[in-house]
Amino acid sequence: TARKVIVVDCDNTLWGGVCGEEGALNVSIASPFAEFQQLLIAQKEKGKIICLCSKNSENDVWDVFSNNKNMVLQRDDVVASRIN
């Protein structure tokens, strides 16, 4: 059976570091993380659904999406999230 949904964590998955400790602008979105985010976008374009599951504070996660200019994945690429 084909998989339709991809669920990812945030810290040390979408970016390097812990956004709640380091802040949105200080997490690392170096090459491996940017490449992984690009892979997620490519999967979305093939019809996969991208979701987030994280123990972070919701405000901290969305702050990275909104304010870190190195983010490849955007908030509107994410269909659903469970962040708490």
Side-chain angles (χ1 to χ4, degrees), residues 28-77:
S28 170
I29 306 174
S31 182
F33 297 104
E35 289 172 15
F36 179 65
Q37 290 183 32
Q38 187 59 53
L39 176 126
L40 291 173
I41 291 171
Q43 291 300 306
K44 176 190 168 208
E45 291 169 353
K46 292 179 180 179
K48 305 289 184 186
I49 296 169
I50 308 301
C51 300
L52 299 180
C53 185
S54 173
K55 293 191 304 182
N56 289 86
S57 158
E58 191 169 12
N59 289 337
D60 291 340
V61 168
W62 297 130
D63 193 30
V64 176
F65 276 81
S66 297
N67 297 311
N68 192 309
K69 64 180 174 36
N70 297 316
M71 281 294 291
V72 177
L73 192 69
Q74 297 298 303
R75 187 171 181 163
D76 64 352
D77 293 318

